[in-house]
Structures are given as structure tokens and as C-alpha cells.
Amino acid sequence: MIEVRGLTKRFGETLAVDQLSFQVQPGIVTGFLGPNGSGKSTTMRMIMGLDNPTAGAATVNGKDYRELSAPMHEVGALLDAKAVHGGMTAEQHLRWVARAGKVSPGRVPAVLELVGLEKVADRRTGGFSLGMMQRLGIATALLGDPKVLMFDEPVNGLDPEGIRWVRNLLKQLASEGRTVFVSSHLMSEMEATAEHVIVIGRGRLIADGSIEALTQGSTDSYVRVVTPKANEFAGVLEEEGGRIRREDGALLVRDLGAPAIGELAAARGIALHELSPHRARLEAAFFELTRDSVEYQSREDGASPDDVAVTAAALAQEEETR
Amino acid sequence: MSSVATRNGTQAQAAAGPGFTDTLAAEWAKLRTWRAIRWSFALAIVLSIAMSALLGLVIGATYDDWPASEQAQFDPILYPMNGIVASLIGFAVLGVMAVTPEYGNGLVRLTFTATPRRSRVVLAKVLIVTALTLVGGMASAFGMYFAGQAVFSTADLPTESVFTGDAMRAVLSIGLLMPVFPLLGLAIGFLTRSTAAGITGVLVLLWAPEIFGPLLPGWWQENVVSLLPGPAGDSVIIGHLVDSRTFSDPAVGALIVAAWLVGAIALSVAMVRRRDA
Ligand SMILES: Nc1ncnc2c1ncn2[C@@H]1O[C@H](COP(=O)(O)OP(=O)(O)OP(=O)(O)O)[C@@H](O)[C@H]1O
Ligand SMILES: [Mg+2]
């Protein structure tokens, strides 16, 4: 388990992390979301004992990381996939890390195979693609077979096949009872991978809950109701606590579930032509949550059109231009 | 895919934490693969010996034309040691390069997550740099000396056996003191976390007293320049052969050098532990 209490980090003028408190539980994948510069990486570095908190504390399995006697057996992290010496081969890289953490050298071929790099074990990492670097970073995190795993943007640079592979790996690691904490910009990816998400903005905690709970609160989660007696039924629903928007003659109802709406219609003898629940995409919920805490408003022109890398910044920009 | 990671060994084995020897072995496994380390090590030795041999050839070819006064000054111990310029630079660079590349590419974060006791990492690098430059320094010193004597003897110049007290003191202490600037380079590397700054820093420390020392008034040479690691080390290596206002008694010189090393390494450890990685 990872626990963060009142964690704060100031770099000169910048308050990178601001009184952050949360827990990351074992057995599930927990996503860590936030716009660019919101403090995700800084938080992870503090958990790993690399940066000193200005205030507060982060513990892993109840201990300060720097006090763990065999840290690599307890925690594995991928913080920066590019942080590898280009002149070393994949195997040489893993070997020195294994030695430093007193991990059995037999784990080196095992993790290489696990991430699918066994065929390039003897190649210098300087010639690796970003995707191969990510795999090597994941292999490094898994070396000590730790119960707690942390990945900073692990799908960065991976192709769709690679993304699916990481998703399955994360889920499997969690299903084995491990604590899996993963940051990402890929909202749709988090939606498909994480059960629980922690959202931060400008270093502050914005939301901490299951994806289910988060998306339910979004204005984009509603039940679409089509009925010939729209005006009458709208009154009924509002009385029962529903909030209503109209769209092309349909009622978009929030705060009431489809079953309750159906029951109400039946009780009043109102015919329904359509009753369809619509759950917000995490993306929409995320944007609503971080709307006020977006750090950089630049548009990501290089982003590919489909479903990939929708950052909060890009989202915000889109929303503004509408 | 069956299980992601099969547990090997019992929980008790897994819990046994790494010790200093693991850190040392890991740092060695890492540094030995770095080309900058290999190149600086090899060049420091090869170039120093080659320079001494070349200089010997030049001296041999021109000696007969020297004025008698200069011929009288010919010293078969000192002259072959001129190649030391190359080994001093090469090994000092090695010391810096044992540290700064990791800061350049962020690998140091992995180093410090694998070994959160950062002082161990510093000390492991200190030991490795000391061992490499001690061995390399000895190879350089004896290589330069033998190359010089071999060239002198073919040119019918005076030679001196390495087994005389004067020669032995100079050659051995060159080797013994060779780790001094590499270790200072290592410390400057930890403090600046930059290859360019580290190399510049250690070379300035190395050459400033040589270049600017003689321009300073006598009092400064005797009381300030003499406290720098270069002149202090030189008073051990060639204090018995050469006179200089910046030289101390050899024992004092050794103490000054030791104080620099202890101070630089202690400062590195303190800063590395305190700062964000
Ligand atoms: N070493 C540092 N020195 C100064 N400022 C820093 C440092 N590291 C991070 N920051 C600042 O702290 C803030 C948070 O940065 P951080 O990298 O943690 O954000 P992030 O959420 O990981 O962003 P991204 O999604 O772009 O990776 C930013 O404003 C950043 O500029
Ligand atoms: Mg980041």
C-alpha cells in the first residue's frame, strides 16, 4: 500500500504538490490523473524517496522509502523510461540494477522474457525505440518481484498492441494482489484499465474515487427520456429531485436512475418511447474536474486524431473554442 | 501468460537487503560498460607513455646541440615524466565521468531507488575510481619511466635505474597520488551534476596553480598556492628533485592532499544525501 499524507513540494516559486493526501490500495489498478505539470511525477519521485517533501510524508507499506531495507523487493517503479545509459545492453542494464538491489540474477532473463525483449537482450539500449525503452523500464520495475508497483506514463510511445499489452499486464499484476499505481494522459486508457482514479490539478487533490463514482457525478452522465408528454413528465421528474436538460425534444435527466424514472412513468401512466442511460466518458468527467486547474493551455497539434493522448490542456482548449 | 512473476526464494531471502558489497559490485558492473570510462582509462595510460617516449626521442635527437649549461641540467628521472600531463587529464576526466553521465540522462534516479542509502553509492564510486586510477597511474608512471630510459639509452644519454631511491620515490608517488584529481573530479561531478562543469572545474583546480602560481607574490606562493592539492602532491612526488616556493615538506604535502580528499568526499556525501535526486 502507498500512503501520502499532507504531501507538499515547493520548487522556488512553484508549488508543485500541495497538501496531497491519498492511499493506493492493493488488488486494484489505481490511475493517477492530472493535466500537464499538475505534480504527478513529482509526487511519484517523493514516494520513491528521490525528492524531499517540503511538508508531509509518503510511505510505502508503512515505511519511508529510504528506510526500506530491501527496497527493490518491496517497490518497483518506472519513472523515466529514457533514463538508461545508451551504451549498455538491455541485459547489462538489468544486471547492474539487480545486483544493486540484491535481486537474484535469474530474474534478469525472466523479466526480459516477460516484457518481450529477450531477443534484443544483447543490443545496446541506445538504439531502442521509445516502446522498447518502456518495456525495459517495466522489466526493471518488475525485477524484484515487488508487491507495490508504480508506473509514470507507461504507455507513452507504445503502439496499440503495446498499449493493450500494458493494460493486461497492469490488470494481472493487480489481480495477483499487488498495489498498482499508474499515471497516464490517456483518459480512455485509464477507463479501460483502472478501477480507481486519483485526480490532481495544480498539485491539489481534486477527486479520489472509483471510475464509476467519478463519472456519475459528471454532467455528461444522464438518462435520456423520450415521451410524448415531455412537459408533464419533466415536472414530475423535477419534483422527484431530477435535474433536466432538453435536447431535441428529449429529456436528459440527472440525479435519477433509469429504473426510478421507469417506475415513475408507469405510476403516472406516461408512455415512454425511449429510456436510455448514458454514462459519461472519464474524459468528460476529467475535464470538468480539472477545468480550473489546467496549467498549460497550449494545443497539442501533434496529437493523432483518434482516441489517443487527449490531454486536459487540449480538452480545455477545445472547450473554449466551441 | 501464466503468472507475471514467479516467486523465487523464500520471503526471508527476499527480505535480505543489499549491503555495501552489492552496491560496489553494481556500480562496477555499470561503470565498466561505459565508453567514457574505458576511453579515458586507456588514453590516460597510452598517451602518457607515448608522450614520454616521443619527448625522449626529441631530446635524444637534439641533445648534442644543447648548450653545455642545459646539458648539465638534463635529469633522467624528471624528463621521462612529462607525459604525466596526459594521464592527469585522462584520469581526472575519468573521475568526473564516473558520476555526471548519470545526472545527464536521469539514470541516477534509478541508482538511488535501488540504493536509497546514497552515501553508499558515493563511496562505491570513490573506491572504484581510486582502484582504477591507482592501477592506471602505476602503469602510466612505470610505463613513462621505462619508455624514457629505453629511449635515452638508445640515444647514449645518461639513464637511471628505477631502483634508486630518488627514482623510486618519484615513480611510486606518481602512481600513489594519481587518484587525487580523479577523486576531486568525482566530488566536483557530484556537486555540479554536469559533465561540462565537472571537467572544467577539475582542470582549473589542476592547472591554475601551475599557470598562475608563479605570477603571484612570494608570500602567496608559500602560504596559499602551497595549500592547493597540486603543489602539495608535487612536493611529495618531486620535492626531492626540484625546488619551488609552493612546495611543502612531503609529509605536510601528503596531509594537505588527504585533507582535500576527505573534505571533498564528505561534502559530496552531505550534498547528495540532502538534495533532490
Ligand atoms: N526539479 C524541478 N525544479 C523545478 N520545478 C519543477 C521540478 N520538477 C517539477 N517542477 C515543476 O513542478 C510542477 C509539477 O511538475 P510534474 O512534472 O510533477 O508534473 P506532471 O503532472 O508529472 O506533468 P506531466 O503530465 O507533464 O508529466 C511543474 O510546474 C514543473 O515545472
Ligand atoms: Mg510527469
Side-chain angles (χ1 to χ4, degrees), chain A residues 11 14 16 35-42 45 153 185 295-296:
Chain A
F11 295 108
T14 316
N36 286 127
S38 56
K40 302 182 297 294
S41 299
T42 306
R45 286 202 303 275
E153 319 232 0
H185 275 148
E295 197 96 315
Y296 305 108

Side-chain angles (χ1 to χ4, degrees), chain A residues 115-178:
Chain A
V115 302
L117 288 180
E118 68 271 30
K119 291 213 182 65
V120 293
D122 296 333
R123 272 181 36 196
R124 288 179 196 277
T125 61
F128 277 18
S129 69
L130 185 51
M132 290 160 84
M133 295 295 262
Q134 292 284 16
R135 285 171 188 262
L136 182 59
I138 292 170
T140 312
L142 293 172
L143 258 182
D145 193 11
K147 283 280 193 197
V148 177
L149 286 152
M150 210 158 64
F151 303 97
D152 197 358
E153 319 232 0
V155 298
N156 210 356
L158 292 184
D159 54 22
E161 199 271 309
I163 291 178
R164 194 171 335 119
W165 171 76
V166 169
R167 179 195 304 162
N168 291 336
L169 179 71
L170 295 178
K171 285 181 172 171
Q172 189 182 341
L173 290 166
S175 75
E176 289 168 8
R178 297 173 210 258

Side-chain angles (χ1 to χ4, degrees), chain B residues 23-44:
Chain B
T23 309
L24 188 61
E27 281 301 316
W28 174 237
K30 180 166 63 175
L31 294 182
R32 61 184 295 197
T33 66
W34 290 6
R35 281 197 225 171
I37 300 287
R38 292 167 171 232
W39 274 107
S40 53
F41 183 80
L43 284 179

Side-chain angles (χ1 to χ4, degrees), chain B residues 17 24 30 54 64 73 102 116 129 139 144 146 168 172 184 207 211 213 220 242-243:
Chain B
L24 188 61
K30 180 166 63 175
L54 200 66
D64 292 341
Q73 277 182 7
E102 287 196 62
V129 167
M144 288 190 291
F146 291 137
M168 198 45 116
L172 272 184
L184 293 172
W207 298 120
I211 297 165
W220 280 83
V242 179
D243 246 352

Side-chain angles (χ1 to χ4, degrees), chain B residues 128-139:
Chain B
I128 289 167
V129 167
T130 303
L132 280 177
T133 56
L134 191 64
V135 170
M138 286 293 180

Side-chain angles (χ1 to χ4, degrees), chain A residues 182-201:
Chain A
V182 51
S183 79
S184 176
H185 275 148
L186 301 182
M187 243 47 68
S188 53
E189 182 47 41
M190 275 294 101
E191 203 161 13
T193 313
E195 256 178 66
H196 192 101
V197 288
I198 290 165
V199 183
I200 63 171

Side-chain angles (χ1 to χ4, degrees), chain A residues 222 224 226 245-252:
Chain A
Y222 50 81
R224 188 180 154 93
V226 179
R245 258 186 305 152
R246 286 165 187 265
E247 187 187 86
D248 307 331
L251 304 174
L252 307 186

